[in-house]
Structures are given as structure tokens and as C-alpha cells.
Amino acid sequence: MLETMRHSAAHLMAAAVQDLYPEAKFGVGPPIEYGFYYDIELPVTLTPEDLKKIEKRMLQLKNKGLGYERIEVPIDEAIKIMQEKGQTYKVELLNLLKERGSTAVLKETGDANVADSDEAEGASHVSLYKTGEFLDLCRGPHVESTKEIGVFKLMRIAGAYWRGNEKNPQLQRLYGVAFETKDELKAHLHMLEEAKKRDHRRLGQELGIFTISEEVGRGLPLWLPNGTVIREELEKLAKEEERKDGYLRISTPEITKDKLYYMSGHLPYYRDDMYAPIEIEGVEYFLRPMNCPHHHQVYLSQPRSYRDMPVRLAEYGQVYRFEQSGALSGLMRARGFCQNDAHIYCTFEQAKDEFLKVMHLHARYYDMFNIEDYYMLFAKPDLHKLDKYVDEPEQWAAASKVIQQAMDESGYPYEEAEGEAAFYGPKIDFMIKSAIGTEYAISTNQLDFLASERFNLTYKGQDDKEHPVYVIHRAPLGSHERFVAFLIEHYAGAFPTWLAPVQAIIIPISDRHLDYAHQVYKQIFEAEVPTALGGARVELDDARESMQKKIRNAQRRKIPYMLIVGDSEVESDTLSVRYRSGVEKREVPVAALIDRIRTEVKSRRDLGE
Ligand SMILES: [Zn+2]
Ligand SMILES: [Zn+2]
């Protein structure tokens, strides 16, 4: 198994480090996605050159075909052995294991490999593994011989506090990747290279999509004109698609009294994740961390009968959550963001079909954005641990069944994960992959049976009695912030015409073509093109620069169409169209270019070349 091989590589790295730095003290070294790491205390700060040396030593040890020899010992003997070796962190782990069991070790170190999992009580025996001269506290398993470890590469060094606590010493975390074959490693490195080129933080600045100002505050992105165009196109899309599915649009304020969050259950538990309150007339008001409670109030604004159901309320709603500053990352992780939110209020009988419709909506969007690789991740509650959520096993089971049926009927791929449901109902995360294969969770669907009780959400049935309402939370396009960050990476900034902030730029070859250029501009500007702004987004580059320079500028801005006008174009009343890809078409009538843009905008799909 890949994970076993990667974990075995962590031992190999530790063995190499111990060879080169006998004073090294080892923390933990679990496998991670693509590879492994090990936290190590060293008398020197490692440089990239040192990593190369360690990697070389690893290769030498690997080729010796060292084994992973298992030694079972009473825990007190293990403590003695590690004490003699001066491995103080291992001694600490062993004591933790002895007193509080492996659950505590996992919780504090994030390493599941130290000892057999899920023992809340102290351990009496442990296993040690010996690879060459290196002895580690580990439960295994490993490969049989270091020769079975495929190709690996040490990537980088970062600081990491021991047991994740800032009060503890900082260790050096050495990251490596490991794969079965050279080609896989190569593909991975290529992906990393691409991801760097497509980094939304860099491209987002270069393309004028967003900026972050320290004066405004961390995690509060400012959308620049180009980014705002993309937002508005996404909102137009959402409005059109939601209209087809019977949603009604609403608009609600971004703050609310504390009372609403006591009703929803966000207070007092989630206070730390919210912005501190503002006091007005002796009442605390919070910036909203989600839109649901506001929407529930809209639902409650009038009596509802079975004939009104389902009620689908949609809003692109701005919310604020307090994230640690270390966790912030451009648009991907912000403190203020605007969600493609909606809540569907329905009867239990309607829940499955409504859930299914939401899945189809996701699929329509993915098709439109050429997101080919996606699946639903279904978080089922672990019914044995229900008190962790709320003690309503029948409700949980019924809601889970609804989701399960909808998933099966949808035919879309899904996976299940036990014990990770949200606290007010089972949920599905939609996992999508960008064009370079990076996976993101952009949106979540929830089936909520608790809101009805907490907010007294009911409808009058045919029997004239009040019945509880089921609430579906959904946000297929996530937040503008996360979704646009994803799209920047996915398209490498080269947005399809319908999303491109500037769709066409006119480049006159010299001043004597300016009149004609203005004429063309007017024609395109005034043409009927159904963008969010009510017309094509066209620019005229009349700067006193060479044509080549203007083309390079337009290419850097990733504008889909460069319209070059010179003598022959003026003469024939046409354009030379240069596509972003480099393809050139001569003698294109202006009307034909407008048609092309219109078709691409309407269908939200680029035509071929
Ligand atoms: Zn191990
Ligand atoms: Zn919600």
C-alpha cells in the first residue's frame, strides 16, 4: 500500500538524519498525501543543500535493503531504552501513551502510527521498529525491506511546534514525497510547477481580480473591477439557473441580534469563530457567520401551508467568520466572503426530490465549467457516537436515508465517510478537481431537521395541523471568494469569453487607423450581447506603443480576442482577429466577431478555433 511505503520512507529519512546528525531528537513522522514528514530537533538549521545530503544518504541506506525489525517490549522498558538514547520526545510520547492511551497521542500529535489506535486507556506494551541503527516507537506496518520504497524526493523544511503547542520547542519538519515510479514523481512535480504558475494569489493580482489591503484588514479581499465582472457573471448564472428551479430571491442584512444565534445554537459554542459583537442600544449585534437564521426569519414572515411547499429562498449573502491569521490565504481562505446561498423549506416527502434537484444543479454547473472530475462525499453520522451531534437517532437515520436515495438516483459518483456529519444533520460535500488535479471542497449540502424545532419552522398540512419543515442548505457555487480562486487555477487565468473581464481589445497599428478603430469599438460596444453588464466588454488600446507590445500586453491579460486594424482592414471594413491561443483569422467582418462573442456568452461555452 502506498501509505505503508510512504510511512516506511519516513523511517528511512529518520535513519539517514540520525547517521548524519547523531544528536538529532525525533518527534513524530506520519505519512501524508503524496509523501511523509518527520519532526526533528537538530543542533543546526537545515538548508536545501542539507536536504540533498540527507536524500543521498537515504538512497544509500535504501540500497542496502535494510529491514524493519519489530520488537515488542513492556512500556517501561521502552521508556528506559529511549531515555538511554536521549530521545526525550519519544519518552514524552511513551509517558502519554502509558497514562492516557493512543487516542490522546493521536489528538496531540496527529500521528496515528505511534500506537494501536483508539485506546482511551494507558498502554502496557508497545512495539519498536529498527531500521539500520534507527529505532522508532511505532505500531507499523512497514514494507519488508527499504528496497521496496519507490522513488522519493525531499521537498522542503518548515517549523513545527512540538505537539502543536506554541509554548513547546519548535522542531524542524522535513517534508518528502514518495511514489511507486519515476513517472509518477515526475507528474507530481509537474503538477506542483503548474500549481505555482496558476497560484490564484499571484494571478489574482496580475489580472486585477482582487487585492488585500492591510488598511482594511486581513482576510477581507477587495474585489477590483475585473474580479467584480466575474462575480456579476456568476450571480447572473445563479439567478438564471435558480429561476429555472423555482427559487425566489431575497435580500437580508449582514448583522443581527445575538438572540438569533442563541436560537440557532451558534452561540455560545461558536463565539470564537465569529467577529466580536457591536453593542447598539444595549443589545449585542453580530456580523453573521452564515445566512440561514436570517432566511428562516423570511420563511416565518407569513403563514405557510402545504400548498406553498417547497419554499426556496436564495441570496448571494455576505458573511464573516473569524479565521486565525495563519490560516488565511488570498481568496481561498478569507474572513469575509459572499455565499451562493439558498435554503429550501420542504416537507419530509419532498426532501429527496429537492435534494436530487440540487445535485443536478451542481452537475449542470460542473459541465459548464468543464469540471470533469468530481464526486460527492457523504458524511454519515456514527450512530454510536450520536451524543456528539444530537440525540435523535431516528431523525438521523431518516435524513441519512433520504440523502442516500437521492445519491443513488442521481447516478453521480459518491464516497461515504463515517462519523463526520455536521451537528444539525447529515451532509454531502462536493469535491471537485481543477484542471491540474488539485482537489477542493467548494460546496456543502445539508439536510437539516433541527432548524424546524429551534426556529419553529412549520407548515399547515391538509389535516389543518402544523407539521415540521425540513431545510436543505445548499451553495453549489460556494462563495465567490473560494470559487473564483478555484476558477483562476482551473483556467490558469484564461477565462472563457463569458467570464473574461475584457472580451476583446482593439489594437490599431498606427494613428491613421484610429478613426476606424473607434468605429469598430462603437459597433461592438453597442451590440446586443447578454453579459451581466448589458453588452460586450471591449477596450481600445490607443497607447503610443508598438503593435507587438500591445499584443504582448493583451496576451499577458489573457484577453480572448485581439482585433488588429491596419490599412487592409480599414480598406475592406474587416478585422484581423488574433485568438488568445495565437491562431489568426483575417478579413473577419465586425458583425461576425460580434456574433461569435454573443454565441459564446449566451451558451457560456467557447467555440472552437
Ligand atoms: Zn513506522
Ligand atoms: Zn444554511
Side-chain angles (χ1 to χ4, degrees), residues 220 253-258 261 266-267 270-271 273-278 284-291 294 318-322 335-336:
L220 299 170
E254 292 169 22
I255 65 172
T256 186
K257 285 188 197 168
D258 56 354
Y261 294 129
H266 289 103
L267 286 177
Y270 288 87
R271 199 183 178 100
D273 300 324
M274 291 159 71
Y275 269 72
I278 309 158
E284 285 192 340
Y285 284 76
F286 282 87
L287 280 170
R288 66 174 170 197
M290 56 243 306
N291 307 303
H294 283 84
Q318 179 73 25
V319 299
Y320 296 90
R321 291 182 198 166
F322 182 75
R335 286 175 176 165

mmCIF file of all heavy atoms in Angstrom, residues 220 253-258 261 266-267 270-271 273-278 284-291 294 318-322 335-336:
data_model
loop_
_atom_site.group_PDB
_atom_site.id
_atom_site.type_symbol
_atom_site.label_atom_id
_atom_site.label_comp_id
_atom_site.label_asym_id
_atom_site.label_seq_id
_atom_site.Cartn_x
_atom_site.Cartn_y
_atom_site.Cartn_z
ATOM 1 N N LEU A 220 -9.878 40.165 4.298
ATOM 2 C CA LEU A 220 -11.037 40.887 3.764
ATOM 3 C C LEU A 220 -10.717 41.356 2.349
ATOM 4 O O LEU A 220 -10.308 42.495 2.141
ATOM 5 C CB LEU A 220 -11.376 42.084 4.668
ATOM 6 C CG LEU A 220 -11.747 41.722 6.116
ATOM 7 C CD1 LEU A 220 -11.827 42.973 6.979
ATOM 8 C CD2 LEU A 220 -13.067 40.966 6.163
ATOM 9 N N PRO A 253 -29.974 41.637 5.876
ATOM 10 C CA PRO A 253 -28.821 42.383 6.410
ATOM 11 C C PRO A 253 -27.692 41.478 6.917
ATOM 12 O O PRO A 253 -27.915 40.303 7.216
ATOM 13 C CB PRO A 253 -29.408 43.195 7.556
ATOM 14 C CG PRO A 253 -30.654 42.482 7.941
ATOM 15 C CD PRO A 253 -31.165 41.785 6.721
ATOM 16 N N GLU A 254 -26.501 42.076 7.014
ATOM 17 C CA GLU A 254 -25.311 41.292 7.371
ATOM 18 C C GLU A 254 -25.068 41.213 8.873
ATOM 19 O O GLU A 254 -24.107 40.590 9.308
ATOM 20 C CB GLU A 254 -24.084 41.883 6.664
ATOM 21 C CG GLU A 254 -24.171 41.671 5.166
ATOM 22 C CD GLU A 254 -23.141 42.459 4.393
ATOM 23 O OE1 GLU A 254 -22.115 42.840 4.969
ATOM 24 O OE2 GLU A 254 -23.381 42.689 3.186
ATOM 25 N N ILE A 255 -25.909 41.900 9.665
ATOM 26 C CA ILE A 255 -25.740 41.772 11.114
ATOM 27 C C ILE A 255 -27.077 41.373 11.727
ATOM 28 O O ILE A 255 -28.140 41.503 11.114
ATOM 29 C CB ILE A 255 -25.201 43.060 11.788
ATOM 30 C CG1 ILE A 255 -26.191 44.209 11.677
ATOM 31 C CG2 ILE A 255 -23.881 43.463 11.202
ATOM 32 C CD1 ILE A 255 -25.763 45.420 12.508
ATOM 33 N N THR A 256 -26.985 40.888 12.949
ATOM 34 C CA THR A 256 -28.221 40.507 13.649
ATOM 35 C C THR A 256 -27.990 40.462 15.152
ATOM 36 O O THR A 256 -26.847 40.367 15.610
ATOM 37 C CB THR A 256 -28.726 39.139 13.159
ATOM 38 O OG1 THR A 256 -29.996 38.886 13.764
ATOM 39 C CG2 THR A 256 -27.784 38.027 13.558
ATOM 40 N N LYS A 257 -29.082 40.516 15.873
ATOM 41 C CA LYS A 257 -29.011 40.430 17.338
ATOM 42 C C LYS A 257 -28.481 39.072 17.772
ATOM 43 O O LYS A 257 -28.724 38.060 17.123
ATOM 44 C CB LYS A 257 -30.413 40.583 17.918
ATOM 45 C CG LYS A 257 -30.960 41.971 17.917
ATOM 46 C CD LYS A 257 -32.254 41.924 18.717
ATOM 47 C CE LYS A 257 -33.115 43.120 18.455
ATOM 48 N NZ LYS A 257 -34.462 42.907 19.003
ATOM 49 N N ASP A 258 -27.830 39.061 18.926
ATOM 50 C CA ASP A 258 -27.286 37.805 19.464
ATOM 51 C C ASP A 258 -28.367 36.734 19.627
ATOM 52 O O ASP A 258 -28.110 35.549 19.476
ATOM 53 C CB ASP A 258 -26.555 38.057 20.791
ATOM 54 C CG ASP A 258 -27.435 38.732 21.834
ATOM 55 O OD1 ASP A 258 -28.580 39.107 21.500
ATOM 56 O OD2 ASP A 258 -26.962 38.887 22.981
ATOM 57 N N TYR A 261 -28.693 33.928 17.224
ATOM 58 C CA TYR A 261 -27.670 32.876 17.251
ATOM 59 C C TYR A 261 -27.783 31.983 18.464
ATOM 60 O O TYR A 261 -27.248 30.877 18.462
ATOM 61 C CB TYR A 261 -26.271 33.481 17.106
ATOM 62 C CG TYR A 261 -26.099 34.109 15.744
ATOM 63 C CD1 TYR A 261 -25.638 35.398 15.583
ATOM 64 C CD2 TYR A 261 -26.468 33.389 14.605
ATOM 65 C CE1 TYR A 261 -25.523 35.955 14.328
ATOM 66 C CE2 TYR A 261 -26.368 33.946 13.352
ATOM 67 C CZ TYR A 261 -25.894 35.237 13.221
ATOM 68 O OH TYR A 261 -25.800 35.793 11.981
ATOM 69 N N HIS A 266 -25.549 28.697 17.435
ATOM 70 C CA HIS A 266 -24.172 29.149 17.172
ATOM 71 C C HIS A 266 -23.562 29.755 18.425
ATOM 72 O O HIS A 266 -22.367 29.647 18.661
ATOM 73 C CB HIS A 266 -24.159 30.169 16.037
ATOM 74 C CG HIS A 266 -24.452 29.559 14.715
ATOM 75 N ND1 HIS A 266 -25.671 29.671 14.110
ATOM 76 C CD2 HIS A 266 -23.686 28.797 13.917
ATOM 77 C CE1 HIS A 266 -25.645 29.002 12.972
ATOM 78 N NE2 HIS A 266 -24.456 28.460 12.831
ATOM 79 N N LEU A 267 -24.401 30.409 19.201
ATOM 80 C CA LEU A 267 -23.956 30.937 20.481
ATOM 81 C C LEU A 267 -24.478 30.005 21.566
ATOM 82 O O LEU A 267 -25.599 29.514 21.443
ATOM 83 C CB LEU A 267 -24.502 32.360 20.699
ATOM 84 C CG LEU A 267 -23.823 33.457 19.857
ATOM 85 C CD1 LEU A 267 -24.505 34.797 20.108
ATOM 86 C CD2 LEU A 267 -22.332 33.571 20.186
ATOM 87 N N TYR A 270 -19.964 28.781 19.160
ATOM 88 C CA TYR A 270 -19.109 29.212 18.050
ATOM 89 C C TYR A 270 -18.649 30.665 18.166
ATOM 90 O O TYR A 270 -18.207 31.251 17.197
ATOM 91 C CB TYR A 270 -19.817 28.973 16.711
ATOM 92 C CG TYR A 270 -19.878 27.494 16.396
ATOM 93 C CD1 TYR A 270 -20.916 26.710 16.868
ATOM 94 C CD2 TYR A 270 -18.856 26.878 15.676
ATOM 95 C CE1 TYR A 270 -20.956 25.353 16.626
ATOM 96 C CE2 TYR A 270 -18.885 25.516 15.436
ATOM 97 C CZ TYR A 270 -19.935 24.754 15.905
ATOM 98 O OH TYR A 270 -19.954 23.415 15.672
ATOM 99 N N ARG A 271 -18.776 31.192 19.374
ATOM 100 C CA ARG A 271 -18.443 32.598 19.575
ATOM 101 C C ARG A 271 -17.030 32.918 19.079
ATOM 102 O O ARG A 271 -16.794 33.960 18.470
ATOM 103 C CB ARG A 271 -18.580 32.942 21.056
ATOM 104 C CG ARG A 271 -18.710 34.427 21.316
ATOM 105 C CD ARG A 271 -18.759 34.724 22.817
ATOM 106 N NE ARG A 271 -18.827 36.175 22.995
ATOM 107 C CZ ARG A 271 -19.959 36.815 23.257
ATOM 108 N NH1 ARG A 271 -21.077 36.157 23.400
ATOM 109 N NH2 ARG A 271 -19.949 38.134 23.383
ATOM 110 N N ASP A 273 -15.447 31.744 16.688
ATOM 111 C CA ASP A 273 -15.336 31.755 15.230
ATOM 112 C C ASP A 273 -16.060 32.937 14.609
ATOM 113 O O ASP A 273 -16.166 33.040 13.396
ATOM 114 C CB ASP A 273 -15.914 30.450 14.648
ATOM 115 C CG ASP A 273 -15.175 29.233 15.164
ATOM 116 O OD1 ASP A 273 -13.946 29.338 15.341
ATOM 117 O OD2 ASP A 273 -15.822 28.201 15.414
ATOM 118 N N MET A 274 -16.597 33.789 15.469
ATOM 119 C CA MET A 274 -17.342 34.942 14.954
ATOM 120 C C MET A 274 -16.593 36.231 15.279
ATOM 121 O O MET A 274 -15.743 36.260 16.158
ATOM 122 C CB MET A 274 -18.743 34.959 15.613
ATOM 123 C CG MET A 274 -19.625 33.810 15.137
ATOM 124 S SD MET A 274 -20.998 33.426 16.250
ATOM 125 C CE MET A 274 -22.069 34.836 16.021
ATOM 126 N N TYR A 275 -16.902 37.295 14.544
ATOM 127 C CA TYR A 275 -16.347 38.602 14.877
ATOM 128 C C TYR A 275 -16.997 39.088 16.173
ATOM 129 O O TYR A 275 -18.170 38.804 16.429
ATOM 130 C CB TYR A 275 -16.641 39.604 13.754
ATOM 131 C CG TYR A 275 -15.553 39.663 12.707
ATOM 132 C CD1 TYR A 275 -15.385 38.620 11.804
ATOM 133 C CD2 TYR A 275 -14.692 40.758 12.629
ATOM 134 C CE1 TYR A 275 -14.390 38.660 10.849
ATOM 135 C CE2 TYR A 275 -13.694 40.811 11.678
ATOM 136 C CZ TYR A 275 -13.539 39.764 10.784
ATOM 137 O OH TYR A 275 -12.556 39.816 9.845
ATOM 138 N N ALA A 276 -16.230 39.800 16.973
ATOM 139 C CA ALA A 276 -16.746 40.299 18.249
ATOM 140 C C ALA A 276 -17.981 41.162 17.996
ATOM 141 O O ALA A 276 -18.085 41.828 16.968
ATOM 142 C CB ALA A 276 -15.672 41.102 18.963
ATOM 143 N N PRO A 277 -18.927 41.144 18.917
ATOM 144 C CA PRO A 277 -20.186 41.864 18.690
ATOM 145 C C PRO A 277 -20.051 43.381 18.764
ATOM 146 O O PRO A 277 -19.109 43.917 19.339
ATOM 147 C CB PRO A 277 -21.088 41.342 19.800
ATOM 148 C CG PRO A 277 -20.162 40.892 20.873
ATOM 149 C CD PRO A 277 -18.912 40.425 20.199
ATOM 150 N N ILE A 278 -21.030 44.055 18.199
ATOM 151 C CA ILE A 278 -21.161 45.513 18.251
ATOM 152 C C ILE A 278 -22.333 45.774 19.192
ATOM 153 O O ILE A 278 -23.382 45.145 19.045
ATOM 154 C CB ILE A 278 -21.544 46.080 16.869
ATOM 155 C CG1 ILE A 278 -20.607 45.543 15.780
ATOM 156 C CG2 ILE A 278 -21.602 47.584 16.883
ATOM 157 C CD1 ILE A 278 -21.214 45.603 14.379
ATOM 158 N N GLU A 284 -26.397 43.272 21.887
ATOM 159 C CA GLU A 284 -25.249 42.853 21.091
ATOM 160 C C GLU A 284 -25.693 42.421 19.701
ATOM 161 O O GLU A 284 -26.614 41.612 19.557
ATOM 162 C CB GLU A 284 -24.541 41.681 21.784
ATOM 163 C CG GLU A 284 -23.717 42.098 22.981
ATOM 164 C CD GLU A 284 -22.792 40.994 23.470
ATOM 165 O OE1 GLU A 284 -23.037 39.816 23.163
ATOM 166 O OE2 GLU A 284 -21.805 41.330 24.153
ATOM 167 N N TYR A 285 -25.012 42.969 18.711
ATOM 168 C CA TYR A 285 -25.251 42.570 17.324
ATOM 169 C C TYR A 285 -24.001 41.884 16.793
ATOM 170 O O TYR A 285 -22.894 42.362 17.010
ATOM 171 C CB TYR A 285 -25.556 43.787 16.444
ATOM 172 C CG TYR A 285 -26.951 44.330 16.612
ATOM 173 C CD1 TYR A 285 -27.294 45.085 17.739
ATOM 174 C CD2 TYR A 285 -27.922 44.106 15.640
ATOM 175 C CE1 TYR A 285 -28.583 45.577 17.888
ATOM 176 C CE2 TYR A 285 -29.213 44.606 15.787
ATOM 177 C CZ TYR A 285 -29.536 45.345 16.907
ATOM 178 O OH TYR A 285 -30.810 45.833 17.053
ATOM 179 N N PHE A 286 -24.194 40.782 16.078
ATOM 180 C CA PHE A 286 -23.054 40.070 15.488
ATOM 181 C C PHE A 286 -23.077 40.194 13.965
ATOM 182 O O PHE A 286 -24.146 40.208 13.353
ATOM 183 C CB PHE A 286 -23.114 38.579 15.843
ATOM 184 C CG PHE A 286 -22.653 38.273 17.232
ATOM 185 C CD1 PHE A 286 -23.542 38.332 18.303
ATOM 186 C CD2 PHE A 286 -21.327 37.944 17.482
ATOM 187 C CE1 PHE A 286 -23.112 38.056 19.590
ATOM 188 C CE2 PHE A 286 -20.890 37.663 18.771
ATOM 189 C CZ PHE A 286 -21.785 37.715 19.829
ATOM 190 N N LEU A 287 -21.876 40.259 13.390
ATOM 191 C CA LEU A 287 -21.769 40.082 11.939
ATOM 192 C C LEU A 287 -22.113 38.628 11.672
ATOM 193 O O LEU A 287 -21.653 37.745 12.378
ATOM 194 C CB LEU A 287 -20.323 40.336 11.489
ATOM 195 C CG LEU A 287 -19.923 41.791 11.350
ATOM 196 C CD1 LEU A 287 -18.411 41.873 11.153
ATOM 197 C CD2 LEU A 287 -20.640 42.439 10.181
ATOM 198 N N ARG A 288 -22.889 38.366 10.647
ATOM 199 C CA ARG A 288 -23.367 36.993 10.507
ATOM 200 C C ARG A 288 -22.298 36.043 9.954
ATOM 201 O O ARG A 288 -21.598 36.382 9.001
ATOM 202 C CB ARG A 288 -24.616 36.942 9.622
ATOM 203 C CG ARG A 288 -24.387 37.325 8.177
ATOM 204 C CD ARG A 288 -25.681 37.090 7.397
ATOM 205 N NE ARG A 288 -25.596 37.666 6.066
ATOM 206 C CZ ARG A 288 -26.664 37.890 5.306
ATOM 207 N NH1 ARG A 288 -27.878 37.635 5.771
ATOM 208 N NH2 ARG A 288 -26.537 38.387 4.096
ATOM 209 N N PRO A 289 -22.166 34.871 10.580
ATOM 210 C CA PRO A 289 -21.240 33.869 10.052
ATOM 211 C C PRO A 289 -21.924 32.976 9.019
ATOM 212 O O PRO A 289 -21.266 32.207 8.335
ATOM 213 C CB PRO A 289 -20.845 33.056 11.282
ATOM 214 C CG PRO A 289 -22.021 33.169 12.201
ATOM 215 C CD PRO A 289 -22.705 34.479 11.902
ATOM 216 N N MET A 290 -23.245 33.029 8.939
ATOM 217 C CA MET A 290 -23.992 32.310 7.910
ATOM 218 C C MET A 290 -25.354 32.956 7.733
ATOM 219 O O MET A 290 -25.789 33.735 8.572
ATOM 220 C CB MET A 290 -24.134 30.825 8.241
ATOM 221 C CG MET A 290 -24.753 30.542 9.568
ATOM 222 S SD MET A 290 -23.594 29.684 10.608
ATOM 223 C CE MET A 290 -23.165 28.325 9.534
ATOM 224 N N ASN A 291 -25.985 32.611 6.633
ATOM 225 C CA ASN A 291 -27.225 33.297 6.289
ATOM 226 C C ASN A 291 -28.485 32.598 6.792
ATOM 227 O O ASN A 291 -29.560 33.191 6.799
ATOM 228 C CB ASN A 291 -27.330 33.429 4.767
ATOM 229 C CG ASN A 291 -26.094 34.075 4.164
ATOM 230 O OD1 ASN A 291 -25.731 35.184 4.539
ATOM 231 N ND2 ASN A 291 -25.430 33.386 3.250
ATOM 232 N N HIS A 294 -31.205 34.201 9.172
ATOM 233 C CA HIS A 294 -31.928 35.297 8.507
ATOM 234 C C HIS A 294 -32.993 34.732 7.575
ATOM 235 O O HIS A 294 -34.122 35.208 7.537
ATOM 236 C CB HIS A 294 -30.966 36.164 7.691
ATOM 237 C CG HIS A 294 -30.155 37.113 8.517
ATOM 238 N ND1 HIS A 294 -28.991 36.747 9.133
ATOM 239 C CD2 HIS A 294 -30.339 38.428 8.805
ATOM 240 C CE1 HIS A 294 -28.492 37.795 9.783
ATOM 241 N NE2 HIS A 294 -29.289 38.833 9.588
ATOM 242 N N GLN A 318 -23.435 37.916 2.069
ATOM 243 C CA GLN A 318 -22.099 38.195 2.619
ATOM 244 C C GLN A 318 -22.044 37.726 4.073
ATOM 245 O O GLN A 318 -22.943 38.037 4.849
ATOM 246 C CB GLN A 318 -21.836 39.702 2.540
ATOM 247 C CG GLN A 318 -20.501 40.153 3.091
ATOM 248 C CD GLN A 318 -19.321 39.789 2.181
ATOM 249 O OE1 GLN A 318 -19.490 39.624 0.972
ATOM 250 N NE2 GLN A 318 -18.141 39.658 2.768
ATOM 251 N N VAL A 319 -21.009 36.967 4.415
ATOM 252 C CA VAL A 319 -20.845 36.514 5.797
ATOM 253 C C VAL A 319 -19.411 36.782 6.275
ATOM 254 O O VAL A 319 -18.520 37.050 5.471
ATOM 255 C CB VAL A 319 -21.147 34.998 5.946
ATOM 256 C CG1 VAL A 319 -22.578 34.677 5.555
ATOM 257 C CG2 VAL A 319 -20.168 34.168 5.113
ATOM 258 N N TYR A 320 -19.229 36.726 7.590
ATOM 259 C CA TYR A 320 -17.916 36.971 8.187
ATOM 260 C C TYR A 320 -17.617 35.903 9.221
ATOM 261 O O TYR A 320 -18.447 35.622 10.080
ATOM 262 C CB TYR A 320 -17.883 38.347 8.862
ATOM 263 C CG TYR A 320 -18.063 39.470 7.878
ATOM 264 C CD1 TYR A 320 -19.337 39.945 7.572
ATOM 265 C CD2 TYR A 320 -16.972 40.017 7.219
ATOM 266 C CE1 TYR A 320 -19.517 40.953 6.644
ATOM 267 C CE2 TYR A 320 -17.136 41.033 6.290
ATOM 268 C CZ TYR A 320 -18.409 41.496 6.002
ATOM 269 O OH TYR A 320 -18.576 42.477 5.072
ATOM 270 N N ARG A 321 -16.458 35.296 9.103
ATOM 271 C CA ARG A 321 -16.046 34.333 10.123
ATOM 272 C C ARG A 321 -14.632 34.658 10.549
ATOM 273 O O ARG A 321 -13.811 35.054 9.743
ATOM 274 C CB ARG A 321 -16.098 32.901 9.566
ATOM 275 C CG ARG A 321 -17.505 32.439 9.316
ATOM 276 C CD ARG A 321 -17.562 31.020 8.815
ATOM 277 N NE ARG A 321 -18.874 30.799 8.200
ATOM 278 C CZ ARG A 321 -19.183 29.767 7.423
ATOM 279 N NH1 ARG A 321 -18.271 28.857 7.178
ATOM 280 N NH2 ARG A 321 -20.383 29.653 6.904
ATOM 281 N N PHE A 322 -14.391 34.452 11.820
ATOM 282 C CA PHE A 322 -13.044 34.712 12.299
ATOM 283 C C PHE A 322 -12.164 33.500 12.043
ATOM 284 O O PHE A 322 -12.389 32.427 12.568
ATOM 285 C CB PHE A 322 -13.040 35.073 13.780
ATOM 286 C CG PHE A 322 -11.664 35.376 14.254
ATOM 287 C CD1 PHE A 322 -11.056 36.585 13.932
ATOM 288 C CD2 PHE A 322 -10.927 34.430 14.944
ATOM 289 C CE1 PHE A 322 -9.755 36.846 14.308
ATOM 290 C CE2 PHE A 322 -9.620 34.686 15.326
ATOM 291 C CZ PHE A 322 -9.041 35.896 15.007
ATOM 292 N N ARG A 335 -11.789 36.012 5.663
ATOM 293 C CA ARG A 335 -12.666 36.221 6.823
ATOM 294 C C ARG A 335 -14.019 36.773 6.412
ATOM 295 O O ARG A 335 -14.996 36.664 7.147
ATOM 296 C CB ARG A 335 -11.989 37.165 7.815
ATOM 297 C CG ARG A 335 -10.876 36.514 8.580
ATOM 298 C CD ARG A 335 -10.141 37.514 9.465
ATOM 299 N NE ARG A 335 -9.122 36.835 10.264
ATOM 300 C CZ ARG A 335 -8.157 37.478 10.901
ATOM 301 N NH1 ARG A 335 -8.072 38.800 10.834
ATOM 302 N NH2 ARG A 335 -7.284 36.802 11.612
ATOM 303 N N GLY A 336 -14.059 37.402 5.253
ATOM 304 C CA GLY A 336 -15.317 37.905 4.739
ATOM 305 C C GLY A 336 -15.555 37.278 3.385
ATOM 306 O O GLY A 336 -14.647 37.256 2.553
#
